[in-house]
Amino acid sequence: KVKEKPRYEMSRQSVLLRAFPRVERELKRTGVTKYLIWQDYIKEFPDGYKYTHFCKHYSDWQIKVNPTMHRVHKVGDKLFVDFAGEKLSYTDKQTGEVIPVEVFVAILGASQLTYVEAVHSQQKEDFISACENTLHFLGGSPSAIVPDNLKAAVTRSHRYEPTLNQAFEDFAQHYDTVVLPARAYKPRDKALVEGAVRIIYTRLYVPIRKKQYYSLSELNVAISEYLAIHNNQLMKGRTYSRRMQFEQIERNELRPLPVDRFELKQSFHAKVNKDSHILLGTDRHYYSVPVRFLSKKVKVIYSNSIVEIFSKFERIAIHKRSKVPHAYTTNTGHLSSNHRYSAERTPETFMERAEKIGEDVLTLIRSILDSARHEDQKIKSCEAILGLERKYGGVRLAGACRRALDFGIDTRVFRTIETILENNLDSERESVFSNALDMPSHANIRGENYYK
């Protein structure tokens, strides 16, 4: 016959067990120890357990509640990230093809708040994007991100100094955190995220696979709905959920996010063409480089918004990225005098020069550029007319353009303006009313009354 515990002992133990969920939560705070918590406990219950028995009962409770997680994670300290082994999928509406997708999982060490997202691949672009979305889901950055040794995060694994993927390291610096890869062949280093993966197989995969989705975004909407239920559900053996624990102890310990999102940068080497431009092959777009680097090899680093060009660690050019194929982005200061002259012969530069001289000159130049003439004819006419400013001055050229507008724009507009200036007619203006002659008085001329 099993000997029953005294009623007093059972009461004392039940009080302690009810307190352990709060003890577990408090231990995650910085500076809190079991001894400090035991001191508070013994003040409230003078007849309670001594420190040694208190720690033993707590360890037994931990093993019983969660047999795989013995480590105490400090608040705001680590975010564990990994990809689930099993994939989800969606159906292409047009072709009916079933497209498998990877499932990214992230979990905070202290509160165990979980984030899940479906992405197309495990490549660094998708991996970094998912990590960034996680930080914005949390509303802050942890002290460290702990990934598995996947290629998107770690280029070469090492027990003490692993080589990180440069793009992922730049991402971590942007969000004021560090990367601490899990040790290879050490499953305990990533036990938390693997435990999260096992849970989401039941709580997310099972209901999601009962429905059909027709895009990645539609699939992720469903994931976010079931994820919210998971995070708000009370944890086993505890009186709080992951979301409640996060809001109470961890949200305020995260570092604030920067204003701007991270821009993934990529790089390649290129040779400067004879026209002082390099080609960004991804967009088939050309960018200018200072002429002194003609035919030299340069390094090009580009993101979604900018293109930077370097030579021996010196940045020699920076441009806004354009995705217009077979087009040129040119800084005229980069070009030789001959190339600069050609680059400046554009409709925009002609309009700017005309506007500085006067409104009538701008109207005339605009009329030429809007005409149906060949582009080369337009450029030559604009260049010739604006060049008259050097000989006759802006005021006289404006007057000549004003008078030329009365005659209309034709293919000989330059000769018309030049003739007006040569004959000093720029101060006069043709008008059918101002130039009308008075009718002379003569006996043979019948007046208007004659025909009534």
Side-chain angles (χ1 to χ4, degrees):
K1 186 177 180 180
V2 179
K3 187 178 180 181
E4 293 184 0
K5 292 182 181 179
R7 184 173 296 179
Y8 167 75
E9 178 67 19
M10 291 177 66
S11 175
R12 188 167 63 156
Q13 188 172 346
S14 64
V15 168
L16 189 63
L17 289 173
R18 286 199 300 271
F20 281 155
R22 184 174 64 85
V23 171
E24 182 187 49
R25 188 165 63 245
E26 290 299 317
L27 281 173
K28 293 172 182 176
R29 297 183 184 275
T30 304
V32 178
T33 64
K34 289 180 186 177
Y35 187 75
L36 290 174
I37 292 176
W38 175 80
Q39 287 181 317
D40 292 337
Y41 160 75
I42 209 67
K43 283 179 184 177
E44 189 173 352
F45 302 99
D47 295 332
Y49 291 99
K50 298 301 180 183
Y51 180 64
T52 303
H53 282 85
F54 175 89
C55 292
K56 182 181 183 305
H57 282 300
Y58 179 68
S59 297
D60 292 343
W61 175 84
Q62 275 193 315
I63 294 171
K64 185 177 180 181
V65 171
N66 199 340
T68 62
M69 297 180 193
H70 301 294
R71 296 179 62 185
V72 175
H73 297 281
K74 296 300 181 182
V75 289
D77 185 33
K78 291 178 181 176
L79 174 71
F80 297 85
V81 298
D82 200 0
F83 283 99
E86 294 187 30
K87 298 182 180 183
L88 289 175
S89 62
Y90 67 90
T91 304
D92 189 306
K93 236 177 185 179
Q94 295 181 342
T95 64
E97 179 187 1
V98 176
I99 301 173
V101 293
E102 302 286 348
V103 179
F104 171 87
V105 182
I107 182 169
L108 276 172
S111 64
Q112 297 183 36
L113 189 72
T114 307
Y115 177 78
V116 182
E117 180 182 347
V119 293
H120 282 296
S121 71
Q122 294 190 19
Q123 298 300 314
K124 64 181 178 182
E125 292 82 3
D126 289 327
F127 174 68
I128 291 175
S129 175
C131 287
E132 184 172 42
N133 290 339
T134 303
L135 299 186
H136 284 271
F137 171 78
L138 301 175
S141 300
S143 298
I145 298 176
V146 183
D148 194 5
N149 284 271
L150 66 162
K151 290 184 179 179
V154 181
T155 304
R156 184 171 63 88
S157 61
H158 189 274
R159 182 179 178 86
Y160 301 107
E161 292 185 352
T163 304
L164 301 178
N165 182 290
Q166 185 61 54
F168 190 50
E169 191 170 15
D170 291 343
F171 163 79
Q173 290 177 356
H174 180 82
Y175 281 100
D176 191 24
T177 186
V178 298
V179 180
L180 300 175
R183 293 172 297 172
Y185 311 111
K186 297 289 182 179
R188 288 288 297 277
D189 284 5
K190 52 182 181 176
L192 197 62
V193 69
E194 288 186 346
V197 170
R198 285 194 296 271
I199 294 172
I200 69 164
Y201 282 157
T202 303
R203 296 187 180 176
L204 272 73
Y205 276 55
V206 172
I208 282 175
R209 282 174 170 169
K210 291 179 181 179
K211 299 178 182 178
Q212 195 170 22
Y213 304 95
Y214 296 101
S215 68
L216 185 65
S217 59
E218 190 178 331
L219 176 60
N220 276 319
V221 168
I223 288 174
S224 65
E225 291 173 356
Y226 291 112
L227 182 65
I229 296 172
H230 166 69
N231 282 324
N232 288 313
Q233 186 172 335
L234 294 182
M235 299 172 70
K236 182 180 177 181
R238 296 164 178 82
T239 58
Y240 50 83
S241 67
R242 292 168 175 80
R243 172 62 68 179
M244 290 167 61
Q245 187 170 218
F246 170 74
E247 298 294 344
Q248 289 173 9
I249 68 171
E250 194 154 30
R251 178 184 284 279
N252 294 332
E253 299 299 323
L254 298 175
R255 298 171 183 178
L257 298 176
V259 176
D260 299 322
R261 278 187 167 247
F262 173 73
E263 285 195 315
L264 179 63
K265 293 184 177 181
Q266 300 188 63
S267 64
F268 66 95
H269 288 86
K271 187 176 181 181
V272 181
N273 297 334
K274 292 182 179 179
D275 60 357
S276 296
H277 287 76
I278 59 94
L279 171 66
L280 178 56
T282 305
D283 306 325
R284 305 302 300 170
H285 192 93
Y286 295 85
Y287 296 90
S288 66
V289 175
V291 67
R292 68 180 185 274
F293 296 98
L294 205 66
S295 299
K296 291 186 178 179
K297 214 169 191 180
V298 294
K299 184 176 182 179
V300 183
I301 300 177
Y302 65 96
S303 66
N304 193 49
S305 60
I306 62 169
V307 176
E308 298 175 283
I309 305 169
F310 294 83
S311 176
K312 297 180 181 178
F313 305 105
E314 175 194 359
R315 189 173 71 183
I316 58 176
I318 181 170
H319 300 278
K320 285 185 178 179
R321 186 175 176 184
S322 171
K323 296 186 179 181
V324 180
H326 309 294
Y328 287 76
T329 295
T330 304
N331 179 342
T332 54
H334 291 164
L335 307 180
S336 63
S337 56
N338 291 335
H339 289 163
R340 190 180 304 124
Y341 172 72
S342 299
E344 289 174 349
R345 299 169 69 194
T346 64
E348 291 76 17
T349 56
F350 289 141
M351 298 277 278
E352 288 174 7
R353 289 172 59 188
E355 189 175 16
K356 290 177 182 178
I357 299 172
E359 187 63 33
D360 294 304
V361 182
L362 177 61
T363 302
L364 184 80
I365 294 298
R366 186 183 286 117
S367 299
I368 294 172
L369 293 173
D370 290 341
S371 66
R373 299 164 65 189
H374 192 277
E375 291 299 320
D376 288 351
Q377 289 180 314
K378 294 179 187 179
I379 290 174
K380 288 180 180 179
S381 292
C382 291
E383 191 174 25
I385 291 168
L386 294 173
L388 292 172
E389 182 194 12
R390 292 191 294 271
K391 184 176 181 180
Y392 295 100
V395 175
R396 290 197 64 192
L397 178 59
C401 290
R402 184 166 55 250
R403 185 157 190 192
L405 287 168
D406 292 334
F407 299 113
I409 305 301
D410 59 17
T411 56
R412 294 177 55 82
V413 63
F414 168 70
R415 288 294 306 136
T416 301
I417 294 174
E418 189 177 44
T419 301
I420 291 171
L421 290 169
E422 287 175 349
N423 293 284
N424 297 315
L425 300 174
D426 46 280
S427 59
E428 301 179 18
R429 191 168 186 181
E430 294 290 339
S431 173
V432 294
F433 299 105
S434 61
N435 292 337
L437 299 175
D438 294 331
M439 184 66 68
S441 177
H442 194 277
N444 292 330
I445 297 178
R446 301 184 180 96
E448 59 181 347
N449 292 329
Y450 177 84
Y451 296 97
K452 290 182 179 179

